[in-house]
Amino acid sequence: MTKRLLLFVIFFPLVVLSQHDSIVKGKIVSESSFLEGIHVLNLSKKNGAVTDSRGYFEIKANTSDTLQFSAVNLKAIRYCIKKSDFSNDLLLIKMESLITELEEVAIINYKNINAVALGIVPANQRTYTPAERKLLAAGDFKWYSPLLIPLGGMSVDGLINSISGRTSMLKKEVLVEKKEMLQLKTTDYFERDYFTKTLKIPEIYVDGFLFYIVENERYAKAMKEKNKDMATFLLSGLAVEYLKLKEVEISNTKLNEK
């Protein structure tokens, strides 16, 4: 009896100690591919661990201990350790991805808020279109005549571009770009029905009419000054002129066919 009591006194602390030192091996299972750095905290023992790149972890725990799993990209969960978890090779913990739903965002166009109003660009500073920037980069300049000495200093690129004709080509691109921008501005100001129903331009000729009106300096000036009343007045006259030209074109086409 004495020997049995002695053995119990010796081995009981070891049994208790072994229970506290039990290691739980587990793995996180999730749709997310980011499984590294997930925090595993034993809330009962106040000890913790972190998962590796594949989601594996090891932590000291005992039966009935509560483990908490948390990560930035996953929904936090808690798991209570069971006795059977120690006999299994691996404890699988399933975690769901955390999807943050953004509230509906309303985009409002504030016309008064721009680069100038915010102080990013000084007021009255000249802005350049893409074609104008190319021309500026080409080194456009004026010449003293007849010595061909450049004014205000010139770059070598400017001289080469002028001699090769590239500068002249870029100037033409600027003019074409301005006309294209005027066409776009016109379609913003006036609906397509305005051309067909009010100005009586046949649908097949509307695009041609847009090319026609941008050549008119008075119309271009009115649009530049945002004078819609004047632009509308000029369009009426230009529509009459354009339709007359088309009548002549149609007549000549019929004569040539004969």
Side-chain angles (χ1 to χ4, degrees), residues 39-43 45-50 58-60 68:
H39 294 279
V40 184
L41 177 63
N42 188 329
L43 299 177
K45 299 290 188 294
K46 304 299 181 184
N47 62 301
V50 178
E58 293 183 2
I59 189 170
K60 292 181 180 180
Q68 177 173 287

Side-chain angles (χ1 to χ4, degrees), residues 149-190:
I149 301 174
L151 282 171
M154 73 169 184
S155 64
V156 176
D157 288 341
L159 177 59
I160 295 173
N161 287 325
S162 179
I163 295 173
S164 65
R166 184 168 183 267
T167 301
S168 178
M169 179 189 69
L170 290 174
K171 285 182 178 180
K172 292 179 181 179
E173 284 187 13
V174 171
L175 293 176
V176 171
E177 184 184 59
K178 286 182 177 180
K179 291 177 181 179
E180 290 176 347
M181 292 175 68
L182 181 54
Q183 287 179 359
L184 291 174
K185 192 173 182 180
T186 299
T187 55
D188 286 339
Y189 270 49
F190 303 95

Side-chain angles (χ1 to χ4, degrees), residues 210-241:
L210 290 173
F211 280 100
Y212 178 75
I213 61 177
V214 296
E215 299 291 340
N216 187 277
E217 293 182 3
R218 292 181 63 194
Y219 175 75
K221 182 180 179 182
M223 290 294 288
K224 184 178 180 180
E225 296 174 352
K226 298 181 180 180
N227 190 341
K228 189 173 181 179
D229 291 336
M230 177 57 72
T232 303
F233 171 76
L234 293 171
L235 280 178
S236 299
L238 290 170
V240 174
E241 293 177 7

